[in-house]
Amino acid sequence: MRVGELIPCGEASWNRASKIALRASPKYPKLLRNPNGHSSSSSSFLLFLLLPEFLEPSPPMTESKRRRESAASSSYLGPSLSLSRYAGDDVDRLTELPDVLRLQILSLLPLKYAIRTGTLSSRWRGLWRYRWSRPSLFHISSVQSLPHSEFVSAVDEFFRRRDMARLDCLQIMYSPTPAQIPDLKRWLGYADSCSVSDLHLDLSSAPTSSNTSRRRGSRAAAAAAAPILEFNFRSPSLTRLTLRGFHLPSSPPSFRMFSYSLEILNLYEIYLSYASLRRILVHCPHIRSLSIHHCQDLKKVVVPVSTMRLKKLTVVDCRKASEISVSALGLRSFRFSGALLKNYNIKCASMLEDVYISSGMAVPAIPRGDWLTPLGELANLKVLTICSLALESISALGARADVGFRLFPNLVELQLLMVMMAESNLWDIYGFFKYFPCPRLEKLFFELPMNACDPSLTMYLEVPREEPPKGCFSNLKFVKMNGFKGHLNEMQLAGVLLANSINLDNFVVVAPMGNNGENCESSTGNLLQYVFTELSLLPKASTKAAIILTETDIPKYRPVHFQV
């Protein structure tokens, strides 16, 4: 028996085999056809495992016996995914199956569920990569030392020998000239014929230096060098699509072939209009996650109501984008980083659980409009990251905000991105906790400015002086201040947190390497010693609070929004 080969059996054997089953996700109903062509399914969606001991013929069962045995079989299908025949047996029959049968199971699952089986045990980890008889994960990138004609011939010959076997994931990193576009289209056609599930297409040219993309004029040069590609990919099994570094024509393909399969769409440095993006989304209503990064021509992000399954929207550094409108009603995560938006409208703001809003660019004045209004509807919010510019606006507008603007009842984690840490910024932080009580807040993160001293800050708004909050941190268990230098305002903030957090477990301080704070010597070691001495003198409301000083950003202490 080969890997991926179906096991033949009769109708009676099929019924016997259904006694042992693996409960799969009810969110992805699927029919499994038996050898006679009949569909077999149930309300709990059971994936049948054809074991050798059940392949011999058996007498037909009566309807009452079938119901009794079905109820008995479901009684021991617990969350541990054990295939034990008896409730008292703790043996994991599923993991003890031979590899050939486990690969057979994986070949019947969609790619995303096959990958998730890696969490069952160490024996399942990575096994999904070998579920097909031929390799199904490929990465193609050009080699500078190899002439282009030889590179193309090598790729074509490899695909020819591989034939049309199933393809799980294909990554192409290639910077073609206009004359080389036909070669690229031929490879995409091959991936289409092999029913690829995950496609990553990167046509961007590698920068000559690490700072090239940051220089003035480099964006225009990159846009001029980016190729134009009519993306006519039509694989109906594609679930994840990542595109980078090329122009989509003004009338892009409709993406209609992806309408019932595409779930994740990532666009990096893609040059397209907001109308083109909207047409793509209209024809892909099953998209769950949409990420847009560095798309410089995009002026608006308009998500139509037809994209009803969208759960996550991320927009990063699209410098021309000034408006975001989301009509989808199921959005749970909204992350934005870039120039301050003039307007955004999220109809499902009350459903959001994860919000990231950061604008690191100074502006002469806050744009007119209710760009903070959705914050008043975030009753279900659990994780929030906002920048110091948003804090400044909240402090100015909080006094005249309505009642719905006053409470984050379910907020568990908060991260504040501080561009400056002058006295007015300290008042902004106090004002936030005054106007936004967070009774369930457990984790609090501060990203402090990396400059060695506090320069003067030009205030964009009149910020009233605020007193330190009291009684706002009764549930707070973890605090992290990244880039702590021991400045006066930083010490004052640390003192307020330590004095009011009665359940605090850990207070983590990450000192910037190579910088020196006030009244301390230049070395990082002396800075840490100075900071520890000063923090130890501060009164603590929690007797179990531990002050942890480190020079590196330890992964286990990172926030949810560590990377956007």
Side-chain angles (χ1 to χ4, degrees):
M1 183 171 56
R2 297 180 302 166
V3 176
E5 182 180 4
L6 291 177
I7 304 175
C9 61
E11 179 72 23
S13 300
W14 183 271
N15 294 332
R16 294 285 303 279
S18 65
K19 294 180 181 179
I20 294 182
L22 166 67
R23 190 183 302 272
S25 172
K27 297 181 179 180
Y28 198 98
K30 185 179 180 68
L31 296 179
L32 183 66
R33 294 189 176 276
N34 65 16
N36 294 332
H38 303 293
S39 298
S40 177
S41 63
S42 67
S43 59
S44 59
F45 172 36
L46 299 179
L47 175 65
F48 300 119
L49 310 181
L50 308 182
L51 302 181
E53 59 185 295
F54 292 107
L55 296 183
E56 67 274 4
S58 61
M61 293 185 294
T62 63
E63 184 65 25
S64 59
K65 184 178 180 181
R66 184 179 290 109
R67 286 198 299 267
R68 289 196 303 271
E69 293 203 9
S70 176
S73 64
S74 62
S75 63
Y76 55 82
L77 287 174
S80 63
L81 297 181
S82 174
L83 295 185
S84 307
R85 298 191 193 178
Y86 307 101
D89 191 355
D90 293 333
V91 179
D92 185 359
R93 303 289 189 188
L94 182 61
T95 302
E96 296 301 323
L97 289 174
D99 287 348
V100 65
L101 287 178
R102 293 193 293 144
L103 290 171
Q104 169 69 16
I105 296 170
L106 293 173
S107 69
L108 298 173
L109 293 173
L111 177 60
K112 64 178 182 180
Y113 293 125
I115 294 175
R116 290 178 186 177
T117 59
T119 62
L120 295 177
S121 69
S122 59
R123 289 193 59 189
W124 284 92
R125 192 173 302 125
L127 188 64
W128 64 272
R129 299 174 182 271
Y130 310 101
R131 63 186 185 139
W132 306 117
S133 57
R134 297 184 181 182
S136 61
L137 306 172
F138 296 103
H139 176 85
I140 299 176
S141 59
S142 58
V143 182
Q144 294 182 354
S145 60
L146 191 66
H148 177 263
S149 58
E150 296 183 16
F151 169 71
V152 172
S153 299
V155 175
D156 290 341
E157 177 65 15
F158 175 77
F159 285 157
R160 185 188 67 80
R161 292 186 178 185
R162 186 182 180 276
D163 205 4
M164 295 297 176
R166 182 68 181 267
L167 190 60
D168 279 338
C169 180
L170 177 62
Q171 295 184 4
I172 300 178
M173 300 183 67
Y174 183 52
S175 300
T177 63
Q180 297 164 356
I181 292 294
D183 299 326
L184 178 64
K185 290 185 175 181
R186 185 169 61 254
W187 299 338
L188 292 176
Y190 173 81
D192 189 354
S193 302
C194 295
S195 301
V196 67
S197 299
D198 185 348
L199 177 64
H200 183 112
L201 181 60
D202 185 352
L203 307 186
S204 60
S205 57
T208 57
S209 69
S210 59
N211 295 327
T212 299
S213 60
R214 303 296 182 185
R215 296 174 183 169
R216 176 171 293 184
S218 61
R219 293 190 182 97
I228 300 176
L229 178 64
E230 294 183 1
F231 189 74
N232 294 318
F233 199 75
R234 297 182 177 275
S235 174
S237 61
L238 189 69
T239 59
R240 183 187 184 100
L241 177 62
T242 301
L243 304 177
R244 181 192 293 270
F246 61 90
H247 290 266
L248 278 178
S250 56
S251 297
S254 63
F255 282 61
R256 289 179 181 175
M257 293 299 295
F258 306 150
S259 58
Y260 295 105
S261 63
L262 190 62
E263 297 182 5
I264 301 175
L265 177 60
N266 302 317
L267 302 177
Y268 296 85
E269 301 172 25
I270 294 294
Y271 301 90
L272 78 167
S273 65
Y274 78 91
S276 300
L277 176 63
R278 188 179 186 278
R279 282 196 294 268
I280 292 174
L281 297 178
V282 165
H283 293 300
C284 299
H286 288 188
I287 285 182
R288 295 185 294 105
S289 175
L290 173 63
S291 296
I292 307 172
H293 294 247
H294 307 285
C295 294
Q296 306 301 338
D297 289 347
L298 197 62
K299 298 181 179 179
K300 296 180 182 180
V301 177
V302 180
V303 180
V305 68
S306 59
T307 316
M308 53 188 174
R309 297 193 179 183
L310 186 67
K311 303 294 183 183
K312 180 179 180 180
L313 174 62
T314 303
V315 181
V316 176
D317 291 341
C318 298
R319 61 189 183 91
K320 292 184 180 179
S322 60
E323 179 179 345
I324 294 180
S325 177
V326 181
S327 299
L329 301 180
L331 194 66
R332 296 293 186 273
S333 173
F334 174 64
R335 303 183 181 186
F336 172 81
S337 177
L340 192 63
L341 292 173
K342 294 180 180 178
N343 183 31
Y344 65 88
N345 178 26
I346 302 178
K347 290 189 176 179
C348 59
S350 60
M351 304 295 292
L352 288 172
E353 299 177 355
D354 173 356
V355 171
Y356 179 104
I357 299 178
S358 173
S359 178
M361 304 179 183
V363 293
I366 300 299
R368 296 185 180 275
D370 297 330
W371 71 282
L372 284 175
T373 299
L375 291 180
E377 305 172 2
L378 301 178
N380 292 321
L381 192 64
K382 297 179 181 178
V383 181
L384 173 64
T385 295
I386 54 177
C387 62
S388 54
L389 188 60
L391 279 176
E392 188 175 3
S393 300
I394 290 173
S395 297
L397 301 176
R400 56 185 179 88
D402 56 19
V403 176
F405 206 65
R406 298 274 181 174
L407 182 65
F408 282 142
N410 295 311
L411 189 65
V412 176
E413 178 176 316
L414 173 64
Q415 181 179 207
L416 302 179
L417 309 177
M418 307 305 298
V419 177
M420 302 294 293
M421 199 58 190
E423 191 174 28
S424 59
N425 297 102
L426 192 62
W427 300 342
D428 295 336
I429 296 174
Y430 296 164
F432 176 86
F433 289 106
K434 175 181 178 180
Y435 299 117
F436 289 84
C438 308
R440 297 186 181 180
L441 186 65
E442 295 182 1
K443 297 182 179 181
L444 181 57
F445 297 85
F446 294 93
E447 284 291 329
L448 301 174
M450 301 304 294
N451 53 309
C453 57
D454 280 332
S456 60
L457 174 66
T458 302
M459 295 173 57
Y460 303 129
L461 296 175
E462 289 295 332
V463 181
R465 182 183 182 89
E466 297 288 351
E467 295 299 324
K470 296 181 180 179
C472 298
F473 309 111
S474 58
N475 203 44
L476 191 63
K477 299 178 181 179
F478 179 87
V479 175
K480 177 184 175 182
M481 303 184 75
N482 194 20
F484 194 91
K485 297 168 289 299
H487 290 157
L488 178 62
N489 293 326
E490 295 173 353
M491 280 293 181
Q492 183 176 342
L493 177 60
V496 170
L497 295 173
L498 289 172
N500 291 276
S501 305
I502 58 176
N503 291 311
L504 188 65
D505 293 327
N506 294 314
F507 191 94
V508 180
V509 172
V510 182
M513 297 188 64
N515 290 322
N516 52 338
E518 297 173 357
N519 302 323
C520 66
E521 299 181 11
S522 58
S523 66
T524 305
N526 289 336
L527 172 60
L528 288 175
Q529 184 177 1
Y530 162 75
V531 169
F532 181 79
T533 302
E534 292 295 318
L535 291 178
S536 300
L537 298 176
L538 298 176
K540 304 177 184 62
S542 174
T543 56
K544 59 180 180 179
I547 298 177
I548 303 173
L549 274 72
T550 177
E551 302 175 15
T552 58
D553 191 6
I554 303 175
K556 69 176 182 179
Y557 295 143
R558 290 173 179 171
V560 172
H561 293 155
F562 170 70
Q563 243 177 352
V564 179

